[in-house]
Amino acid sequence: MKQEVESMLKSKEINPTVNRMLVLDYLLELKSSISLTDLELSLESFDRVTLYRTLKTFEERGLVHKIEDGMGITKFAICQDSCKAGMHHDLHVHFYCHNCKQTFCLPKTQIPEVKLPENYQRQEMELIVKGICSACAK
Amino acid sequence: MKQEVESMLKSKEINPTVNRMLVLDYLLELKSSISLTDLELSLESFDRVTLYRTLKTFEERGLVHKIEDGMGITKFAICQDSCKAGMHHDLHVHFYCHNCKQTFCLPKTQIPEVKLPENYQRQEMELIVKGICSACAK
DNA sequence: ATAAAAATTGCAATACAGTTGCATGCTGTT
DNA sequence: AACAGCATGCAACTGTATTGCAATTTTTAT
Ligand SMILES: [Mn+2]
Ligand SMILES: [Mn+2]
Ligand SMILES: [Zn+2]
Ligand SMILES: [Zn+2]
């Protein structure tokens, strides 16, 4: 397990420090995304700034992606697969649950194409669907 | 003109004070949306809190809608038409320009339907397209 | 293995958007 | 004119994001 986490960091050219391995391990367990504040609450021994910079590094190297959850909170989630440093391929839908306040990646749900007005040049897209998640719907 | 602004406020059951008429007038001139901070810079004579509460009232009465611009900034824009107090019909796409940092409503560009995984219940959607706006593309 | 260099971390401080409480001022009504 | 109710401004507070710098850890080169 620890071996796996370490090589995952190395493959993204991230120095595998103890801290970073613990953070990555935690993110991998997680079913949804997490905000910096919630991460700080979950991993109490870490300084907030360290977690901030850890997430920033992870994002820059293509290991996690940033999600605007649609309620003004920034969250982070492990990238699915093909993301590289400075190159995220993150065209899936995100789902915000009004009940549990969690934000889920829906990697199998692609963002459909939209036709923009004349002269608008698209570079990225974000689609946030809000409602009740499957766990809360039961 | 002033007459028009006043009756617009009244039709949404908002008390037409001098301040509110000036803010609404400014918003109507605007081609794109605006953040609280930028509004404060544009209308210097107003206190930030007054503008905050003005926008909040406008939003609650269905006169403006709130936009998460995808970069963590909340912006406000005049509603198109059928919005009522507590009931926004805001399923159009928003466009964020990386060059001028403005966020545009694209009222003619609807958000396409997406099929969610089993048991997810949709209530709202937000689609932000990022890139270069038509003015900056020239 | 050790020393030097480079990267990482923690603490303190700052920046900044959003929000609330309260005293004051304004407006319309009796 | 007196009153009630809403609107406004100021000060203060919250919460998140971000930076500077010194201390510590990790890596690299002897
Ligand atoms: Mn995602
Ligand atoms: Mn809009
Ligand atoms: Zn839920
Ligand atoms: Zn532009």
Side-chain angles (χ1 to χ4, degrees):
Chain A
M1 167 55 91
K2 189 156 288 183
Q3 191 59 45
E4 190 189 330
V5 169
E6 183 173 342
S7 64
M8 195 183 269
L9 286 170
K10 283 181 177 167
S11 78
K12 297 287 183 177
E13 299 187 328
I14 299 168
N15 222 330
T17 66
V18 177
N19 278 358
R20 287 168 174 173
M21 287 196 284
L22 286 169
V23 171
L24 177 53
D25 191 51
Y26 183 83
L27 292 177
L28 287 169
E29 296 295 320
L30 209 65
K31 288 108 197 151
S32 69
S33 60
I34 192 165
S35 67
L36 175 58
T37 299
D38 286 343
L39 189 60
E40 191 187 5
L41 293 173
S42 301
L43 301 175
E44 285 189 6
S45 64
F46 294 81
D47 185 84
R48 179 183 183 81
V49 178
T50 300
L51 293 171
Y52 167 76
R53 287 194 268 233
T54 298
L55 290 171
K56 196 177 179 203
T57 300
F58 284 7
E59 203 227 337
E60 286 166 356
R61 306 295 163 83
L63 187 55
V64 306
H65 60 283
K66 207 184 273 197
I67 307 169
E68 286 289 331
D69 82 343
M71 305 294 284
I73 307 271
T74 302
K75 294 177 181 173
F76 297 86
I78 292 284
C79 288
Q80 308 301 320
D81 45 349
S82 62
C83 295
K84 305 270 181 238
M87 270 273 282
H88 288 276
H89 307 102
D90 184 32
L91 271 183
H92 56 264
V93 172
H94 291 119
F95 189 95
Y96 175 83
C97 176
H98 284 300
N99 185 246
C100 63
K101 319 295 188 213
Q102 292 193 85
T103 304
F104 302 89
C105 295
L106 302 181
K108 288 168 190 157
T109 310
Q110 293 296 118
I111 300 181
E113 200 50 49
V114 294
K115 190 163 180 298
L116 296 173
E118 192 89 19
N119 289 324
Y120 280 80
Q121 298 175 5
R122 191 198 69 229
Q123 290 171 349
E124 302 118 59
M125 292 200 284
E126 289 176 26
L127 176 52
I128 300 155
V129 181
K130 299 179 186 177
I132 305 296
C133 78
S134 61
C136 289
K138 283 170 189 167
Chain B
M1 168 54 89
K2 188 155 288 186
Q3 192 58 45
E4 190 189 331
V5 169
E6 183 172 341
S7 64
M8 195 183 270
L9 285 170
K10 283 180 176 166
S11 77
K12 296 287 183 177
E13 300 189 325
I14 300 168
N15 221 329
T17 66
V18 176
N19 278 358
R20 287 168 175 172
M21 288 197 284
L22 286 168
V23 172
L24 177 53
D25 191 51
Y26 183 83
L27 292 177
L28 287 168
E29 297 295 321
L30 208 67
K31 288 108 196 152
S32 68
S33 59
I34 193 165
S35 67
L36 175 57
T37 299
D38 286 344
L39 190 60
E40 192 188 4
L41 292 172
S42 302
L43 301 176
E44 285 189 7
S45 64
F46 295 81
D47 185 83
R48 178 183 183 80
V49 178
T50 301
L51 293 172
Y52 167 75
R53 286 193 267 232
T54 299
L55 289 172
K56 197 178 179 201
T57 300
F58 284 8
E59 204 227 338
E60 287 166 356
R61 306 293 162 85
L63 188 54
V64 306
H65 61 283
K66 206 183 276 196
I67 307 168
E68 286 290 330
D69 83 343
M71 305 294 284
I73 309 270
T74 301
K75 294 177 180 172
F76 297 86
I78 293 284
C79 288
Q80 309 300 321
D81 46 349
S82 61
C83 294
K84 305 269 183 241
M87 269 274 284
H88 289 276
H89 306 102
D90 184 30
L91 271 184
H92 57 263
V93 172
H94 290 118
F95 189 93
Y96 175 84
C97 176
H98 283 300
N99 185 247
C100 63
K101 318 295 187 214
Q102 292 193 84
T103 304
F104 302 89
C105 294
L106 303 181
K108 289 168 189 155
T109 310
Q110 294 295 117
I111 301 182
E113 199 51 47
V114 293
K115 189 162 179 296
L116 295 174
E118 192 88 19
N119 288 323
Y120 280 79
Q121 297 174 6
R122 191 198 68 230
Q123 290 171 351
E124 301 120 60
M125 292 200 284
E126 290 176 26
L127 177 51
I128 301 155
V129 181
K130 299 179 185 177
I132 305 297
C133 77
S134 61
C136 289
K138 283 170 189 164

mmCIF file of all heavy atoms in Angstrom, chain A residues 15 17 19-20 49-50 53, chain C residues 7-13:
data_model
loop_
_atom_site.group_PDB
_atom_site.id
_atom_site.type_symbol
_atom_site.label_atom_id
_atom_site.label_comp_id
_atom_site.label_asym_id
_atom_site.label_seq_id
_atom_site.Cartn_x
_atom_site.Cartn_y
_atom_site.Cartn_z
ATOM 1 N N ASN A 15 8.140 14.668 -5.016
ATOM 2 C CA ASN A 15 8.994 14.100 -3.978
ATOM 3 C C ASN A 15 8.150 13.397 -2.911
ATOM 4 O O ASN A 15 7.321 14.035 -2.278
ATOM 5 C CB ASN A 15 9.780 15.255 -3.351
ATOM 6 C CG ASN A 15 11.213 14.865 -3.120
ATOM 7 O OD1 ASN A 15 11.507 13.686 -2.892
ATOM 8 N ND2 ASN A 15 12.098 15.841 -3.177
ATOM 9 N N THR A 17 7.487 12.656 0.233
ATOM 10 C CA THR A 17 7.730 12.837 1.672
ATOM 11 C C THR A 17 6.662 12.109 2.472
ATOM 12 O O THR A 17 5.621 11.722 1.943
ATOM 13 C CB THR A 17 7.704 14.326 2.044
ATOM 14 O OG1 THR A 17 6.387 14.829 1.850
ATOM 15 C CG2 THR A 17 8.677 15.126 1.201
ATOM 16 N N ASN A 19 4.678 13.263 4.738
ATOM 17 C CA ASN A 19 3.436 14.046 4.714
ATOM 18 C C ASN A 19 2.626 13.800 3.446
ATOM 19 O O ASN A 19 1.432 13.528 3.499
ATOM 20 C CB ASN A 19 3.764 15.545 4.797
ATOM 21 C CG ASN A 19 4.006 15.980 6.228
ATOM 22 O OD1 ASN A 19 3.898 15.182 7.157
ATOM 23 N ND2 ASN A 19 4.326 17.241 6.397
ATOM 24 N N ARG A 20 3.299 13.909 2.341
ATOM 25 C CA ARG A 20 2.585 13.779 1.074
ATOM 26 C C ARG A 20 2.007 12.393 0.884
ATOM 27 O O ARG A 20 0.915 12.234 0.325
ATOM 28 C CB ARG A 20 3.549 14.118 -0.072
ATOM 29 C CG ARG A 20 3.845 15.610 -0.149
ATOM 30 C CD ARG A 20 4.998 15.916 -1.066
ATOM 31 N NE ARG A 20 5.179 17.352 -1.240
ATOM 32 C CZ ARG A 20 6.194 17.903 -1.880
ATOM 33 N NH1 ARG A 20 7.139 17.137 -2.412
ATOM 34 N NH2 ARG A 20 6.277 19.216 -1.971
ATOM 35 N N VAL A 49 -1.239 25.256 6.228
ATOM 36 C CA VAL A 49 -0.452 25.750 5.096
ATOM 37 C C VAL A 49 0.255 24.598 4.385
ATOM 38 O O VAL A 49 0.366 24.590 3.156
ATOM 39 C CB VAL A 49 0.559 26.801 5.560
ATOM 40 C CG1 VAL A 49 1.409 27.269 4.404
ATOM 41 C CG2 VAL A 49 -0.172 27.982 6.189
ATOM 42 N N THR A 50 0.702 23.640 5.141
ATOM 43 C CA THR A 50 1.330 22.471 4.526
ATOM 44 C C THR A 50 0.331 21.740 3.633
ATOM 45 O O THR A 50 0.653 21.369 2.497
ATOM 46 C CB THR A 50 1.847 21.512 5.607
ATOM 47 O OG1 THR A 50 2.794 22.205 6.410
ATOM 48 C CG2 THR A 50 2.504 20.297 4.992
ATOM 49 N N ARG A 53 -0.230 23.760 0.495
ATOM 50 C CA ARG A 53 0.844 23.647 -0.492
ATOM 51 C C ARG A 53 0.930 22.241 -1.062
ATOM 52 O O ARG A 53 1.286 22.057 -2.240
ATOM 53 C CB ARG A 53 2.162 24.094 0.126
ATOM 54 C CG ARG A 53 2.205 25.623 0.293
ATOM 55 C CD ARG A 53 3.585 26.163 0.578
ATOM 56 N NE ARG A 53 3.847 26.274 2.001
ATOM 57 C CZ ARG A 53 4.280 27.389 2.608
ATOM 58 N NH1 ARG A 53 4.515 28.480 1.921
ATOM 59 N NH2 ARG A 53 4.497 27.405 3.898
ATOM 60 P P DA C 7 15.463 22.641 -5.328
ATOM 61 O OP1 DA C 7 15.178 22.196 -6.701
ATOM 62 O OP2 DA C 7 15.488 24.077 -4.984
ATOM 63 O "O5'" DA C 7 14.427 21.928 -4.349
ATOM 64 C "C5'" DA C 7 14.501 20.519 -4.162
ATOM 65 C "C4'" DA C 7 13.674 20.136 -2.955
ATOM 66 O "O4'" DA C 7 14.302 20.660 -1.767
ATOM 67 C "C3'" DA C 7 12.251 20.675 -2.975
ATOM 68 O "O3'" DA C 7 11.378 19.586 -2.729
ATOM 69 C "C2'" DA C 7 12.225 21.729 -1.876
ATOM 70 C "C1'" DA C 7 13.309 21.221 -0.929
ATOM 71 N N9 DA C 7 13.966 22.244 -0.118
ATOM 72 C C8 DA C 7 14.597 23.373 -0.555
ATOM 73 N N7 DA C 7 15.113 24.096 0.413
ATOM 74 C C5 DA C 7 14.800 23.394 1.560
ATOM 75 C C6 DA C 7 15.067 23.627 2.930
ATOM 76 N N6 DA C 7 15.740 24.696 3.371
ATOM 77 N N1 DA C 7 14.603 22.736 3.818
ATOM 78 C C2 DA C 7 13.926 21.664 3.376
ATOM 79 N N3 DA C 7 13.621 21.326 2.111
ATOM 80 C C4 DA C 7 14.089 22.248 1.252
ATOM 81 P P DT C 8 9.807 19.771 -2.604
ATOM 82 O OP1 DT C 8 9.177 18.522 -3.057
ATOM 83 O OP2 DT C 8 9.436 21.063 -3.196
ATOM 84 O "O5'" DT C 8 9.600 19.882 -1.015
ATOM 85 C "C5'" DT C 8 9.997 18.789 -0.209
ATOM 86 C "C4'" DT C 8 9.693 19.087 1.242
ATOM 87 O "O4'" DT C 8 10.479 20.203 1.684
ATOM 88 C "C3'" DT C 8 8.235 19.440 1.539
ATOM 89 O "O3'" DT C 8 7.792 18.540 2.544
ATOM 90 C "C2'" DT C 8 8.286 20.883 1.992
ATOM 91 C "C1'" DT C 8 9.695 20.976 2.571
ATOM 92 N N1 DT C 8 10.347 22.318 2.619
ATOM 93 C C2 DT C 8 10.826 22.786 3.822
ATOM 94 O O2 DT C 8 10.720 22.161 4.870
ATOM 95 N N3 DT C 8 11.441 24.005 3.766
ATOM 96 C C4 DT C 8 11.632 24.792 2.647
ATOM 97 O O4 DT C 8 12.204 25.872 2.722
ATOM 98 C C5 DT C 8 11.111 24.247 1.410
ATOM 99 C C7 DT C 8 11.258 25.021 0.144
ATOM 100 C C6 DT C 8 10.502 23.054 1.462
ATOM 101 P P DT C 9 6.244 18.513 3.000
ATOM 102 O OP1 DT C 9 5.935 17.130 3.417
ATOM 103 O OP2 DT C 9 5.447 19.175 1.953
ATOM 104 O "O5'" DT C 9 6.263 19.433 4.286
ATOM 105 C "C5'" DT C 9 7.043 19.024 5.409
ATOM 106 C "C4'" DT C 9 7.105 20.115 6.448
ATOM 107 O "O4'" DT C 9 7.815 21.256 5.925
ATOM 108 C "C3'" DT C 9 5.742 20.642 6.912
ATOM 109 O "O3'" DT C 9 5.550 20.231 8.260
ATOM 110 C "C2'" DT C 9 5.857 22.160 6.773
ATOM 111 C "C1'" DT C 9 7.353 22.394 6.601
ATOM 112 N N1 DT C 9 7.757 23.558 5.772
ATOM 113 C C2 DT C 9 8.529 24.551 6.332
ATOM 114 O O2 DT C 9 8.886 24.543 7.481
ATOM 115 N N3 DT C 9 8.863 25.567 5.463
ATOM 116 C C4 DT C 9 8.513 25.678 4.134
ATOM 117 O O4 DT C 9 8.876 26.631 3.443
ATOM 118 C C5 DT C 9 7.704 24.611 3.614
ATOM 119 C C7 DT C 9 7.253 24.628 2.177
ATOM 120 C C6 DT C 9 7.366 23.618 4.442
ATOM 121 P P DG C 10 4.161 20.534 9.039
ATOM 122 O OP1 DG C 10 3.965 19.455 10.029
ATOM 123 O OP2 DG C 10 3.111 20.833 8.057
ATOM 124 O "O5'" DG C 10 4.533 21.858 9.817
ATOM 125 C "C5'" DG C 10 5.598 21.826 10.760
ATOM 126 C "C4'" DG C 10 5.689 23.155 11.484
ATOM 127 O "O4'" DG C 10 6.188 24.167 10.567
ATOM 128 C "C3'" DG C 10 4.370 23.697 12.025
ATOM 129 O "O3'" DG C 10 4.631 24.225 13.318
ATOM 130 C "C2'" DG C 10 3.955 24.775 11.021
ATOM 131 C "C1'" DG C 10 5.304 25.275 10.526
ATOM 132 N N9 DG C 10 5.347 25.745 9.147
ATOM 133 C C8 DG C 10 4.720 25.205 8.057
ATOM 134 N N7 DG C 10 4.982 25.827 6.932
ATOM 135 C C5 DG C 10 5.842 26.843 7.299
ATOM 136 C C6 DG C 10 6.475 27.845 6.513
ATOM 137 O O6 DG C 10 6.389 28.029 5.294
ATOM 138 N N1 DG C 10 7.270 28.691 7.276
ATOM 139 C C2 DG C 10 7.448 28.559 8.642
ATOM 140 N N2 DG C 10 8.254 29.466 9.212
ATOM 141 N N3 DG C 10 6.873 27.628 9.394
ATOM 142 C C4 DG C 10 6.084 26.815 8.664
ATOM 143 P P DC C 11 3.459 24.710 14.277
ATOM 144 O OP1 DC C 11 3.776 24.196 15.628
ATOM 145 O OP2 DC C 11 2.154 24.419 13.654
ATOM 146 O "O5'" DC C 11 3.664 26.291 14.297
ATOM 147 C "C5'" DC C 11 4.962 26.829 14.564
ATOM 148 C "C4'" DC C 11 4.986 28.305 14.238
ATOM 149 O "O4'" DC C 11 5.097 28.484 12.810
ATOM 150 C "C3'" DC C 11 3.723 29.065 14.673
ATOM 151 O "O3'" DC C 11 4.122 30.158 15.476
ATOM 152 C "C2'" DC C 11 3.084 29.498 13.357
ATOM 153 C "C1'" DC C 11 4.300 29.581 12.435
ATOM 154 N N1 DC C 11 4.001 29.432 10.992
ATOM 155 C C2 DC C 11 4.661 30.254 10.075
ATOM 156 O O2 DC C 11 5.464 31.098 10.486
ATOM 157 N N3 DC C 11 4.385 30.112 8.760
ATOM 158 C C4 DC C 11 3.505 29.203 8.347
ATOM 159 N N4 DC C 11 3.275 29.095 7.045
ATOM 160 C C5 DC C 11 2.829 28.349 9.273
ATOM 161 C C6 DC C 11 3.103 28.496 10.573
ATOM 162 P P DA C 12 3.006 31.097 16.171
ATOM 163 O OP1 DA C 12 3.464 31.365 17.539
ATOM 164 O OP2 DA C 12 1.654 30.553 15.918
ATOM 165 O "O5'" DA C 12 3.162 32.436 15.310
ATOM 166 C "C5'" DA C 12 4.456 32.902 14.976
ATOM 167 C "C4'" DA C 12 4.328 34.073 14.026
ATOM 168 O "O4'" DA C 12 4.101 33.587 12.681
ATOM 169 C "C3'" DA C 12 3.147 34.991 14.355
ATOM 170 O "O3'" DA C 12 3.571 36.341 14.289
ATOM 171 C "C2'" DA C 12 2.112 34.646 13.298
ATOM 172 C "C1'" DA C 12 2.996 34.252 12.114
ATOM 173 N N9 DA C 12 2.350 33.329 11.181
ATOM 174 C C8 DA C 12 1.548 32.257 11.472
ATOM 175 N N7 DA C 12 1.105 31.616 10.415
ATOM 176 C C5 DA C 12 1.647 32.322 9.354
ATOM 177 C C6 DA C 12 1.559 32.148 7.960
ATOM 178 N N6 DA C 12 0.855 31.175 7.378
ATOM 179 N N1 DA C 12 2.222 33.030 7.173
ATOM 180 C C2 DA C 12 2.925 34.002 7.758
ATOM 181 N N3 DA C 12 3.085 34.274 9.057
ATOM 182 C C4 DA C 12 2.417 33.374 9.811
ATOM 183 P P DA C 13 2.523 37.554 14.538
ATOM 184 O OP1 DA C 13 3.260 38.569 15.299
ATOM 185 O OP2 DA C 13 1.242 37.001 15.024
ATOM 186 O "O5'" DA C 13 2.279 38.113 13.063
ATOM 187 C "C5'" DA C 13 3.369 38.161 12.143
ATOM 188 C "C4'" DA C 13 2.820 38.476 10.770
ATOM 189 O "O4'" DA C 13 2.302 37.269 10.170
ATOM 190 C "C3'" DA C 13 1.660 39.478 10.796
ATOM 191 O "O3'" DA C 13 1.947 40.551 9.913
ATOM 192 C "C2'" DA C 13 0.456 38.665 10.349
ATOM 193 C "C1'" DA C 13 1.104 37.571 9.510
ATOM 194 N N9 DA C 13 0.316 36.349 9.420
ATOM 195 C C8 DA C 13 -0.254 35.642 10.445
ATOM 196 N N7 DA C 13 -0.934 34.575 10.045
ATOM 197 C C5 DA C 13 -0.785 34.591 8.669
ATOM 198 C C6 DA C 13 -1.253 33.733 7.655
ATOM 199 N N6 DA C 13 -2.006 32.645 7.894
ATOM 200 N N1 DA C 13 -0.936 34.033 6.379
ATOM 201 C C2 DA C 13 -0.187 35.126 6.144
ATOM 202 N N3 DA C 13 0.318 36.002 7.003
ATOM 203 C C4 DA C 13 -0.017 35.675 8.265
#
